[in-house]
Amino acid sequence: SSRTIEVGKLHRYAGMISVVTTHGCKFHCPYCPIPAYNQFTFRWKSSERLRDEMQVMAERTGINAFFGTDDNFFNNRETVEDIFLGLSKGRANGKPFRDAIFFGTEATEFDVFKNQDLLSLCREGGLRAIWFGIEDMTAELVKKGQSPEKTKKLFEILNRHGICPMPMMMHHDGQP
């Protein structure tokens, strides 16, 4: 189009906004370029900046759904806790983030399981879905702390908190 869409009309054309929240992953899976791409570092936005970005975008665009383009959002416990402490104080269109925002992101099963005590706080901050890369249904080929039993237990815990587990099957050429 020769003209940009007015900010207040974006919600007619888009249902979700991507936001950069964190970058990096502590795992070094042989098939994955993410750690090297991020120079083996983990970076994140402050909770205040992220909260402000989400509030402003929701109020100006009418879009209240956000996807954190993370490699592994739960990579660092202190970061998750700090971000969701900040987001849990957020308000958009007069409502708390818990009710006003749909925030989805990516994480590893291992890290979310390890930090399951933070899930109530995460839900208060608007977390509604976590996408998981499931490389191996049997947990025999890829050793990242996944198991069928742990997956079932974690997905039940997430559902109890009102957070949707979103499994993504991942496959690489060398995998049988």
Side-chain angles (χ1 to χ4, degrees):
S1 175
S2 60
R3 292 182 298 155
T4 59
I5 298 171
E6 294 175 36
V7 172
K9 294 181 180 178
L10 282 174
H11 67 279
R12 296 182 189 172
Y13 304 94
M16 185 174 277
I17 298 173
S18 295
V19 291
V20 176
T21 55
T22 69
H23 278 291
C25 183
K26 65 185 167 212
F27 294 102
H28 300 284
C29 302
Y31 56 86
C32 183
I34 290 171
Y37 177 79
N38 289 295
Q39 300 177 341
F40 302 97
T41 62
F42 184 70
R43 298 179 300 237
W44 63 94
K45 286 184 181 176
S46 71
S47 61
E48 295 82 13
R49 179 176 173 184
L50 191 55
R51 182 179 63 227
D52 183 59
E53 285 179 5
M54 292 170 116
Q55 176 191 347
V56 169
M57 286 190 284
E59 291 177 348
R60 290 188 184 168
T61 68
I63 301 169
N64 67 348
F66 300 92
F67 184 76
T69 58
D70 305 288
D71 305 314
N72 181 7
F73 188 87
F74 279 71
N75 193 61
N76 180 287
R77 180 184 174 85
E78 292 77 25
T79 302
V80 172
E81 192 168 17
D82 179 62
I83 286 176
F84 280 108
L85 276 170
L87 293 181
S88 69
K89 297 172 187 168
R91 297 184 73 77
N93 296 309
K95 296 179 184 174
F97 271 23
R98 174 183 180 75
D99 302 321
I101 297 297
F102 176 104
F103 177 61
T105 191
E106 295 179 62
T108 62
E109 177 182 300
F110 175 83
D111 287 326
V112 176
F113 192 86
K114 184 174 66 173
N115 294 294
Q116 61 186 276
D117 61 305
L118 297 178
L119 292 174
S120 292
L121 174 63
C122 295
R123 183 62 192 89
E124 289 300 314
L127 184 64
R128 305 260 185 118
I130 302 174
W131 275 257
F132 295 96
I134 307 295
E135 293 92 341
D136 177 9
M137 290 296 291
T138 64
E140 293 176 16
L141 298 170
V142 178
K143 307 292 186 201
K144 259 175 52 176
Q146 295 176 181
S147 72
E149 297 78 25
K150 192 183 286 185
T151 299
K152 184 176 188 254
K153 183 175 180 182
L154 179 61
F155 284 18
E156 289 170 353
I157 292 166
L158 287 165
N159 279 311
R160 279 197 306 269
H161 282 88
I163 301 170
C164 298
M166 307 294 288
M168 300 180 292
M169 293 304 301
M170 298 172 66
H171 185 80
H172 62 89
D173 291 340
Q175 185 174 335

